[in-house]
Amino acid sequence: MRLSAIKGQDDVIDRIVDCIKRDSLHIYPRTKPLSFLLAGCSGTGKSETAMIIAKELTGSAPITLNMTEFSERSSLSRIVGVHNGYVGCDSNAELPFDIIESNPCKVILLDEYEKCCPAVKRLFMRILDSGQLQLANNKVLDFSQAIIIATTNAGSSAVRVSYIGFHSNENESVPTVKELSGSFDIEILNRFSRVLHFHPISERVYRDIIRDKYEREAAAIKQRIGKKGDSLPDTLPYDVLNDLVNSSYNSAFGARPALGIVRDYIENILID
């Protein structure tokens, strides 16, 4: 699994992979979805992890819900449909989980899960608990073979404390859960198979990310444009790498600036 592309999160990735491997043994029949709540600062690789898992396990992108769009109770209808007697009940509009009926082995990404309304949180709590979702038209969808990955920036301050102050996974998880309880009821947190946090991106890790992204981007561009890409070095010179890191690293942004700064550098070389 190409989760090695996620830098600075080795212990977290190991726990995710271990959980997926254990599930793939199929020793115990699964009656509810395998589920992860990935907490941590912005730009640490949470959503990218979900994307890679989906691609590797299903060959396609995950079903992605931006949970900021479900901040009102009325947004429940966008998930389960409209009940009989209400405006829109006869609509044939596609719902996000219609595909589960024909393809139950899907990865579902709930991005920024803390930002949806309590009613939507409880809806997904029932899915995590029972493995089923009843739509407004009384159809019941089976989520038992799905993988649900929720991401959240809630608890970021606790993650920073644990990252600096502790070293073992057991110690790190304690302040995270305590902090997350400010955004999620404990009963919701308890429904996830694993609650994990991603470490803040240090400058050293950011340097590795810049180097890795440049090599991937440069190789792809050389393959695409042939000899026109000969001016691109295979690896970043040391002084250039330092300049790119110094000009773009910000711990609050995590790895988000890396791709943009790498592409700007590549374009500048090609323009010259």
Side-chain angles (χ1 to χ4, degrees):
M1 193 174 291
R2 287 178 290 184
L3 286 170
S4 57
I6 307 298
K7 303 296 183 184
Q9 314 296 344
D10 292 353
D11 57 330
V12 184
I13 297 303
D14 285 347
R15 295 173 70 182
I16 293 173
V17 171
D18 179 72
C19 188
I20 292 174
K21 284 181 177 179
R22 291 176 185 277
D23 178 72
S24 68
L25 293 173
H26 303 298
I27 296 177
Y28 305 105
R30 206 208 291 176
T31 59
K32 59 185 70 176
L34 186 63
S35 57
F36 302 93
L37 177 62
L38 307 182
C41 307
S42 177
T44 52
K46 303 183 298 295
S47 298
E48 188 177 355
T49 296
M51 299 287 186
I52 293 173
I53 290 173
K55 188 68 175 177
E56 291 290 309
L57 296 184
T58 70
S60 61
I63 301 172
T64 302
L65 273 64
N66 182 347
M67 302 310 287
T68 61
E69 299 175 2
F70 297 87
S71 59
E72 303 292 336
R73 184 181 179 84
S74 58
S75 59
L76 275 171
S77 62
R78 295 171 52 197
I79 299 174
V80 301
V82 180
H83 291 274
N84 287 335
Y86 291 86
V87 176
C89 64
D90 55 352
S91 171
N92 291 321
E94 185 177 358
L95 298 173
F97 299 127
D98 284 346
I99 193 174
I100 291 293
E101 185 173 16
S102 60
N103 188 359
C105 299
K106 293 292 289 184
V107 175
I108 299 163
L109 170 58
L110 309 178
D111 221 4
E112 298 189 88
Y113 184 51
E114 79 278 9
K115 294 183 179 178
C116 66
C117 75
V120 174
K121 287 190 179 85
R122 287 194 294 272
L123 174 72
F124 282 103
M125 185 181 74
R126 291 196 296 272
I127 294 174
L128 296 177
D129 195 37
S130 69
Q132 296 183 332
L133 171 66
Q134 183 171 354
L135 302 180
N137 61 8
N138 292 324
K139 181 186 295 183
V140 177
L141 298 180
D142 180 9
F143 284 76
S144 64
Q145 301 308 305
I147 297 177
I148 296 179
I149 301 176
T151 71
T152 177
N153 292 334
S156 296
S157 59
V159 172
R160 289 182 182 275
V161 170
S162 65
Y163 179 69
I164 295 171
F166 301 102
H167 298 286
S168 71
N169 291 335
E170 291 77 13
N171 285 337
E172 287 178 349
S173 65
V174 173
T176 304
V177 172
K178 180 180 179 181
E179 183 76 8
L180 287 174
S181 64
S183 299
F184 303 100
D185 292 339
I186 292 296
E187 60 180 346
I188 292 178
L189 295 176
N190 285 338
R191 296 306 193 280
F192 284 95
S193 306
R194 297 286 188 277
V195 177
L196 304 170
H197 76 258
F198 278 52
H199 306 299
I201 300 296
S202 66
E203 186 171 330
R204 177 185 59 79
V205 171
Y206 186 73
R207 178 182 296 271
D208 292 339
I209 291 171
I210 289 278
R211 183 188 296 112
D212 184 65
K213 286 191 181 296
Y214 172 79
E215 292 175 1
R216 290 171 185 268
E217 289 290 309
I221 287 175
K222 286 183 177 184
Q223 185 175 14
R224 200 157 56 235
I225 66 177
K227 291 184 178 180
K228 293 180 180 179
D230 288 347
S231 58
L232 295 174
D234 291 333
T235 59
L236 280 173
Y238 182 78
D239 57 334
V240 172
L241 178 59
N242 281 342
D243 289 343
L244 294 181
V245 171
N246 292 335
S247 65
S248 64
Y249 174 70
N250 186 322
S251 60
F253 297 152
R256 292 197 186 279
L259 183 58
I261 200 74
V262 163
R263 288 184 171 176
D264 284 348
Y265 172 72
I266 289 173
E267 289 170 355
N268 289 341
I269 291 179
L270 297 178
I271 288 172
D272 292 341

